Amino acid sequence: MHVDTHSKVSAPGRKLGSANFLNQQRLAQSCVANDVLARISLRWKMSVLFSIESGAGTFAALKRTHPNLSDHILAGRLRELRREGLIDKDERARRHPVYATTERGQSLLKIMAALCAWGEREPATAGA
């Protein structure tokens, strides 16, 4: 997990020193999967990545695909996906940059597809 040492907030928006932040750090240290799950589970993140892979490559196309997603959150998710190397931004068309998944992003989407398939085969049980 990336921690900005110049502010009092971690990359996912947790306050440094808060119980949630400290618990998240401990979980990440015990197993890298916990850190990965925390990073990819942010609201809208995988939906935006999937939409880019499916052809919604501009900000406007992503807004049409996700009309309830605020511009602020969408811009933040795009920054995170770029920072993590999951998408690229082609700025040659200055007016409307185009986003595309990277090989790293495509490999994550394959894992997510397998996870979704598992979830469909193994539905959650009530009270478990």
Side-chain angles (χ1 to χ4, degrees):
M1 173 189 318
H2 167 76
V3 176
D4 178 357
T5 57
H6 300 290
S7 72
K8 295 182 179 183
V9 178
S10 69
R14 300 244 189 251
K15 292 181 182 175
L16 297 177
S18 72
N20 284 337
F21 176 76
L22 295 173
N23 286 337
Q24 193 173 16
Q25 276 192 317
R26 287 183 191 110
L27 286 169
Q29 291 169 352
S30 68
C31 177
V32 71
N34 290 312
D35 185 42
V36 171
L37 290 171
R39 285 185 293 145
I40 66 172
S41 68
L42 294 174
R43 188 174 299 155
W44 298 104
K45 194 167 193 175
M46 289 298 99
S47 293
V48 170
L49 183 61
F50 178 78
S51 295
I52 292 169
E53 177 66 13
S54 298
T58 64
F59 195 92
L62 289 164
K63 283 296 291 180
R64 282 191 301 275
T65 304
H66 304 289
N68 296 328
L69 179 55
S70 74
D71 290 359
H72 176 75
I73 296 297
L74 176 55
R77 295 303 179 252
L78 290 169
R79 275 191 306 276
E80 293 162 5
L81 291 166
R82 284 184 67 207
R83 184 175 55 238
E84 293 169 357
L86 300 171
I87 63 171
D88 281 327
K89 179 180 179 182
D90 183 351
E91 298 187 63
R92 286 179 282 183
R94 291 270 179 213
R95 186 171 176 160
H96 301 287
V98 177
Y99 298 94
T101 54
T102 61
E103 285 185 35
R104 179 180 166 98
Q106 291 166 2
S107 71
L108 175 57
L109 286 169
K110 287 178 186 173
I111 294 166
M112 295 305 295
L115 186 60
C116 289
W118 179 84
E120 290 171 358
R121 284 190 316 272
E122 304 290 336
T125 56

